[in-house]
Amino acid sequence: MLRAIEIECLPADIPKNIEVDISHLVFGIEVRVKDLPHSEKLKFLTDENQMIAHITTVKEEVVAVRMRGGCAATPAEPEVIKKGSRRPRVKARPRRCQG
């Protein structure tokens, strides 16, 4: 996929940017150089079939974090307090490492 394209034009006609509407993009649809807006003052030197934008998927990876002492970090479990106690009803208490 390209990050830059080559163009040919007069110095006064050099565009500051080239805007492309990508609101229609969905998985499997691509934007190529030939899909860019063309004008008589601007000639694209890059191959017109070169892809410049597409939609991809991201695979999420979950990684366990090691704490001091070699234990993997685990979420805190709530401690249920009996009814009638003046303390708050639920209090988070971190798990202790076993091993």
Side-chain angles (χ1 to χ4, degrees):
M1 187 162 69
L2 296 177
R3 301 237 181 247
I5 56 173
E6 290 185 55
I7 60 170
E8 181 178 87
C9 63
L10 295 173
D13 297 328
I14 297 174
K16 291 181 182 179
N17 57 31
I18 299 174
E19 292 188 19
V20 179
D21 179 17
I22 58 168
S23 62
H24 68 282
L25 279 184
V26 293
F27 188 74
I29 303 296
E30 304 161 341
V31 175
R32 298 187 178 276
V33 173
K34 65 183 173 185
D35 301 323
L36 296 174
H38 288 69
S39 73
E40 293 178 10
K41 297 178 178 183
L42 186 66
K43 178 182 176 184
F44 292 101
L45 301 177
T46 304
D47 179 30
E48 67 178 15
N49 290 314
Q50 286 286 328
M51 183 175 37
I52 58 171
H54 69 282
I55 302 293
T56 61
T57 60
V58 177
K59 183 177 180 181
E60 185 176 341
E61 183 178 336
V62 178
V63 179
V65 177
R66 292 280 175 197
M67 306 278 290
R68 278 186 283 169
C71 298
T74 56
E77 289 184 0
E79 176 186 341
V80 179
I81 311 261
K82 294 182 181 180
K83 189 173 182 175
S85 174
R86 291 185 179 192
R87 296 182 3 200
R89 286 224 182 274
V90 177
K91 179 173 122 182
R93 180 181 68 199
R95 280 184 171 174
R96 294 184 184 254
C97 293
Q98 298 173 356

